[in-house]
Amino acid sequence: MLAEDVEVSADGGGPVPAPTQPLVGLDAAMERFAGLARLFAVHPSRLIRYAIINGLPGFITIENGIVQTTALHIENERIVAIYVTGNPDKLQNVPDVTGWRN
């Protein structure tokens, strides 16, 4: 499902650390996702809902008590980019449809 040259970008801020440079390439993305799978086996994320995020299909999750969005840029039936936003300042407009906000 991932393109060979997939790019994974994360936007953290405040209490949410994130890499400053995107990961580029299938191997780099799979290495990161393998690490996340080990982490989520111990501390599962909670899917809030599927959503359209900045015009792209994606989903909203809570990970380690922090809300984040993940958007998938798809071209020719392959995911060419993944955009993860965990910066609370940039998520103020995410609707609270399930009571996850404090």
Side-chain angles (χ1 to χ4, degrees), residues 4-7 17 22 31 37 41 43 48 52 54 57 63 95 101-102:
E4 286 292 324
D5 60 347
V6 65
E7 185 172 305
E31 184 178 326
H43 303 285
I48 300 300
I52 299 298
N54 295 331
E63 298 185 11
R101 284 195 205 275
N102 293 329

Side-chain angles (χ1 to χ4, degrees), residues 6-72:
V6 65
E7 185 172 305
V8 182
S9 299
D11 186 353
V16 183
T20 57
Q21 298 296 316
L23 297 172
V24 179
L26 183 58
D27 290 340
M30 292 307 293
E31 184 178 326
R32 173 62 52 92
F33 295 143
L36 289 173
R38 288 189 293 276
L39 175 67
F40 294 153
V42 178
H43 303 285
S45 64
R46 178 177 157 215
L47 175 65
I48 300 300
R49 68 183 176 101
Y50 298 104
I52 299 298
I53 301 165
N54 295 331
L56 299 173
F59 47 93
I60 303 167
T61 55
I62 295 179
E63 298 185 11
N64 214 15
I66 297 171
V67 174
Q68 78 174 25
T69 61
T70 302
L72 307 173

Side-chain angles (χ1 to χ4, degrees), residues 52-96:
I52 299 298
I53 301 165
N54 295 331
L56 299 173
F59 47 93
I60 303 167
T61 55
I62 295 179
E63 298 185 11
N64 214 15
I66 297 171
V67 174
Q68 78 174 25
T69 61
T70 302
L72 307 173
H73 184 160
I74 301 169
E75 291 181 2
N76 300 319
E77 300 181 8
R78 296 277 186 206
I79 298 170
V80 297
I82 301 171
Y83 306 102
V84 179
T85 302
N87 183 333
D89 294 334
K90 294 184 179 179
L91 297 175
Q92 294 300 311
N93 293 325
V94 175
D96 181 5

